[in-house]
Amino acid sequence: MKRFACGDVVPGCGAAFTTPDEEGIFAQVVPHGAAAHGIDQVTPELAAAVRAHIHQV
Ligand SMILES: [Zn+2]
């Protein structure tokens, strides 16, 4: 399983996601970023930052 804690990229956010693969992480993080943080576009830099903080669990 893969795990991503949003707080690793957005300090203070308590949301965390655990999915079978990296693709699943993005499928949850993108709508979360839009709803919780007003991020309407996932830039390559943001995607890289998220990817850098995805951990194997
Ligand atoms: Zn968040």
Side-chain angles (χ1 to χ4, degrees):
M1 296 288 279
K2 303 285 187 182
R3 186 171 192 280
F4 171 71
C6 189
D8 286 346
V9 174
V10 182
C13 182
F17 309 93
T18 305
T19 67
D21 54 27
E22 193 173 288
E23 210 168 276
I25 295 285
F26 278 93
Q28 294 190 34
V29 165
V30 170
H32 166 76
H37 305 302
I39 298 169
D40 56 11
Q41 192 184 359
V42 180
T43 63
E45 290 77 15
L46 180 58
V50 170
R51 198 168 283 123
H53 290 96
I54 292 175
H55 303 291
Q56 184 75 39
V57 291

